[in-house]
Structure formats: C-alpha cells, structure tokens
Amino acid sequence: MNESLPSESTWFALVDTEENSDVALEIETALAHDDLRSGQLGTHIYRNFAEAHQAEPRDLVTAAQLKNVYYFHARYHYARYGTYTGQPACLVILDLSFQQYSNFRFKSAEIEMEFEDADNVGLNPHEADIDTTFQPRVLAFEPQDFSGPVTSVEGNNTVKLDVPIQVPGGFVGITPGVSRSKDFVRDGWFKIHGVVKEDPPSMIHWTIREDKIRKNGIRSEVSVATIVSYFPGHRFAARVRVAADVFFPFLRPMCGKKDDPIYFDPARMRDKPSLRVKGVEDSSLVPGLNLGVLDHLPLKKFTRIDASGGSFLT
C-alpha cells in the first residue's frame, strides 16, 4: 500500500511566516535514528500489550505531542455488530481531539483508517501474495462532506498605473496615471471531506481544513463513524494514522504509522453499556447473534461536527 500521509524525516525547521503574527519562533531539532520512533515526533509507540487487545481495541489508539506546542490523539469509542444491506457489519466510532497551545493552532489535518483481515497483519504486500478473501469493506461512513458556517470579509483593491516619460536631458519623469479600484468579497469555511480508497475499498481518508478567513484552527473535537463488513469467525483489524499541520510551515507531525493495529473479534467482544450511543440498539452483545439492522443509524450525528453550525453536503 502506498502511504499518503507524510513520511518521517531526520531534521525539521520551524519559522513563523504568518502575516500579522505576534509570535516569532525558529527551532531546529535533530531526531534520533530510532526505528521504533521513526516518524513519530513527540510520541511513543502504542502496542497491544494486554491479551484483551487481541479481541477488542485498546482505548488510546494513537497520539502525538510536542511540549507547549501541540497534542492530538485518536481514541476508540464504540463498536456494534449487526447487518448492513443484509450482510454482517460492524459500526466503529473513533473520537479525535486536537489541542492547541497558546498561539499555536492546527491549520489542517488528515486522518486515515484502514481495515484489514487480522491474518494479514504484518505481511508485506511487496513480498507476499495477500489473500483479500476476508478483507473488510467500507460500506458507509461519516463525515463524507461537511462545511462549517461561511465567514465573509469585504475589501478593496486599488491599482495605480503611472506613465513614464522621457524629458530633455535624458531624465525620466513620471506623470500621473490611472487608478482603478475594485471591491471584493472573500469567503472561508471549516471543511472536512472523506473518500474511500484502495481495492477492495478498505481505507477511508479524511482531510480537515480551517476557515481561511478566521484562521482559528480546525475543530478541536471530531468523531468518525464507519460501518464495515466482516466475516463471521474471522477477526479484523484497523490501522489509524493522523497527521496535522501546526501553525508553522514545515511542522507536520503524524502518529500511528508504527503503532500496532486495533483488533475486532466478533466472537469475543462484549457490549459496554457506558459507551453506548443514541440510536444503537441497547441489547447485550452475544457472540454469533444478529443484533439488528445498522442501515438507518444516524452516522452524521455521531460525528459531533455540526454542533457549532454548518451542514453536511451529502
């Protein structure tokens, strides 16, 4: 699989070039050559040390931080089994948080969630034939396309054209020219967009962008809800990678690339009443039983992104 999130680097430099900024900072940092921490600036690697994590996801899926600059993470919130369009399916909800420090903000972010057959975890697709018979397929997800409230700013551009003339003695003079003025209106809005990738369709890639007019960063709390197919009797896994653009040019930390995947075992997972979400059937999870239809769940509501205004475009 070709990674679309940024790869690790050995050096990075930060220089604040934002207009009208009252923050000036220049940093140069060397990263140690450590395979386990490669590409994971400010984070450690998240492993499945507990036996229970072979059957159900760990709570903290991945995270990244740099002291006094940023912190962000992805947490497992909920899973529910049932059917979607008549086939066995599982609803998976992750919560993402982006915490800004002082004048530092997240201008944009990318999230990838990739599902795979648990038996294929650790196999290199370039060195082995990958059997995709039991590969989970993304059946539905949110958010797909969301825009926040529109911010508009009015302005005026004035262009003055001066005409140079040649005068006796070789001196160049400037005569008054023509001035043209044009009013303009610029719009900006918070934006999140997701697409399904790969063949079979087992990966979702989200991009998040701040309102370019307000420049107040992306939403600090976002959830993603996915319904994915599975095969009874087979575990499946998911890898989560998050990258974010932090205020400064060239600072784009990421996490999740080296972490263990999170596992889902339909035969061993149990319902957690404290994590139930509205709209999902309240019965206990019993292995092997059909627990209801997932086709009409309010996936958009699970994302929490419309609480501050805006609208889903799909």
Side-chain angles (χ1 to χ4, degrees):
M1 182 201 74
N2 294 326
E3 301 283 356
S4 58
L5 290 180
S7 59
E8 56 269 22
S9 60
T10 304
W11 292 84
F12 74 92
L14 315 180
V15 180
D16 178 18
T17 58
E18 186 101 6
E19 293 182 3
N20 303 320
S21 173
D22 56 2
V23 179
L25 176 65
E26 185 171 348
I27 303 173
E28 189 176 81
T29 302
L31 306 184
H33 290 284
D34 182 343
D35 288 340
L36 290 181
R37 299 180 65 84
S38 181
Q40 303 280 325
L41 177 63
T43 72
H44 70 272
I45 307 305
Y46 292 88
R47 302 296 191 196
N48 293 320
F49 292 113
E51 176 62 26
H53 294 158
Q54 299 301 315
E56 58 185 294
R58 59 184 180 272
D59 178 51
L60 184 56
V61 179
T62 190
Q65 65 178 330
L66 184 60
K67 186 177 181 180
N68 297 327
V69 179
Y70 64 78
Y71 173 80
F72 58 90
H73 70 223
R75 286 186 178 275
Y76 164 67
H77 181 81
Y78 190 83
R80 192 70 180 182
Y81 294 92
T83 62
Y84 187 86
T85 63
Q87 59 186 308
C90 181
L91 165 68
V92 179
I93 299 177
L94 297 183
D95 296 334
L96 295 109
S97 296
F98 299 88
Q99 188 174 58
Q100 304 170 180
Y101 296 145
S102 186
N103 289 320
F104 309 115
R105 75 177 191 270
F106 292 100
K107 299 173 65 175
S108 64
E110 293 182 61
I111 305 162
E112 278 186 354
M113 190 171 188
E114 181 183 11
F115 294 91
E116 59 185 320
D117 181 356
D119 291 340
N120 291 336
V121 170
L123 297 182
N124 187 333
H126 302 291
E127 299 177 356
D129 292 330
I130 303 297
D131 184 358
T132 60
T133 302
F134 301 110
Q135 183 90 349
R137 270 71 166 171
V138 175
L139 305 177
F141 72 95
E142 289 292 349
Q144 296 184 40
D145 195 359
F146 177 88
S147 291
V150 175
T151 302
S152 297
V153 60
E154 297 181 356
N156 179 276
N157 284 329
T158 300
V159 179
K160 184 178 181 181
L161 302 177
D162 292 324
V163 180
I165 62 172
Q166 185 75 31
V167 299
F171 295 100
V172 176
I174 301 295
T175 63
V178 178
S179 294
R180 292 185 178 180
S181 180
K182 184 178 180 180
D183 296 329
F184 66 84
V185 176
R186 291 177 181 169
D187 294 332
W189 54 87
F190 167 81
K191 179 75 171 180
I192 179 167
H193 180 248
V195 295
V196 178
K197 301 173 63 176
E198 300 300 321
D199 184 19
S202 55
M203 176 193 292
I204 311 172
H205 186 103
W206 286 276
T207 58
I208 308 176
R209 299 286 183 266
E210 71 172 349
D211 183 329
K212 64 182 180 181
I213 301 298
R214 299 182 65 185
K215 295 183 180 180
N216 59 343
I218 63 176
R219 301 281 174 87
S220 58
E221 299 289 334
V222 175
S223 294
V224 294
T226 303
I227 295 178
V228 61
S229 67
Y230 75 93
F231 293 84
H234 289 268
R235 289 190 309 155
F236 64 93
R239 297 183 184 274
V240 179
R241 293 176 285 269
V242 185
D245 290 305
V246 182
F247 191 69
F248 300 104
F250 313 116
L251 178 54
R252 195 165 191 263
M254 72 168 295
C255 59
K257 186 175 181 180
K258 299 292 184 179
D259 295 341
D260 284 347
I262 52 176
Y263 289 97
F264 299 81
D265 188 343
R268 295 172 60 190
M269 290 181 69
R270 292 294 186 273
D271 191 29
K272 296 182 178 180
S274 62
L275 297 180
R276 290 174 182 163
V277 292
K278 293 180 179 179
V280 179
E281 184 181 340
D282 253 355
S283 61
S284 297
L285 176 59
V286 180
L289 293 185
N290 180 356
L291 298 176
V293 177
L294 305 177
D295 297 55
H296 304 296
L297 292 180
L299 298 186
K300 291 181 172 66
K301 290 296 182 183
F302 298 160
T303 67
R304 304 181 293 165
I305 59 175
D306 61 347
S308 299
S311 60
F312 290 89
L313 305 181
T314 57

